[in-house]
Amino acid sequence: QVQLVESGGGLVQAGDSLTLSCAASGVTFSRYTMGWFRQAPGKEREFVAAVRYNGRTYYADSVKDRFTISRDSAKSTVDLQMNRLKPEDTAIYYCAADQNLILSSLRTPRLYKTWGQGTQVTVSS
């Protein structure tokens, strides 16, 4: 059974940094595309970043140059380093995984089969 567990959320001030981590179990991690999504109150879940099995990374325009996604296949973890945080980054952040995503599908939440429980990130102004 595939499981994803996020950690690292919290309350920070604008301009601060935070690192989220997602630990995967029950998967052949190296074959999976791993994504981070977020959902703010009253809004739809949106793509943040993804890293494919080959290590290539993809970002939403809103976080490009501030966030960095990375994977450690030896530990089966994927991290999201978030710098220069803004109040609009406040949301629940979710880790997601899927083995069969094509490149054009990386940004679509409903196409990921496995999700973590989410971790809250709150950025105060």
Side-chain angles (χ1 to χ4, degrees), residues 10-16 18 82 84-91 93 120-125:
L11 171 63
V12 297
Q13 293 187 332
D16 285 353
L18 200 61
M82 305 185 292
R84 304 195 307 278
L85 282 160
K86 304 175 181 180
E88 51 264 43
D89 294 318
T90 295
Y93 283 70
Q120 177 71 47
V121 173
T122 304
V123 185
S124 64
S125 57

Side-chain angles (χ1 to χ4, degrees), residues 22-34:
C22 172
S25 60
V27 299
T28 305
F29 184 78
S30 60
R31 298 179 185 173
Y32 276 68
T33 292
M34 303 298 296

Side-chain angles (χ1 to χ4, degrees), residues 7 25 31 53 62 67 74 76 86 95-96 98-99 114 122:
S7 60
S25 60
R31 298 179 185 173
Y53 63 92
S62 59
F67 290 11
S76 296
K86 304 175 181 180
C95 177
D98 199 275
Q99 190 173 2
T114 304
T122 304

Side-chain angles (χ1 to χ4, degrees), residues 7-8 16 20 69 71 78 101 103:
S7 60
D16 285 353
L20 305 182
I69 188 171
R71 66 189 296 158
V78 58
L101 289 175
L103 186 57

Side-chain angles (χ1 to χ4, degrees), residues 4-93:
L4 302 175
V5 179
E6 301 100 334
S7 60
L11 171 63
V12 297
Q13 293 187 332
D16 285 353
S17 298
L18 200 61
T19 299
L20 305 182
S21 187
C22 172
S25 60
V27 299
T28 305
F29 184 78
S30 60
R31 298 179 185 173
Y32 276 68
T33 292
M34 303 298 296
W36 282 99
F37 292 79
R38 66 187 182 187
Q39 189 164 16
K43 294 189 176 181
E44 293 187 353
R45 193 166 298 190
E46 66 174 3
F47 171 77
V48 175
V51 55
R52 297 192 78 194
Y53 63 92
N54 57 9
R56 294 196 68 172
T57 58
Y58 304 85
Y59 297 93
D61 288 343
S62 59
V63 306
K64 197 176 293 185
D65 300 326
R66 296 189 299 124
F67 290 11
T68 302
I69 188 171
S70 61
R71 66 189 296 158
D72 185 332
S73 291
K75 297 181 180 178
S76 296
T77 58
V78 58
D79 288 348
L80 185 69
Q81 172 69 43
M82 305 185 292
N83 298 324
R84 304 195 307 278
L85 282 160
K86 304 175 181 180
E88 51 264 43
D89 294 318
T90 295
I92 299 175
Y93 283 70

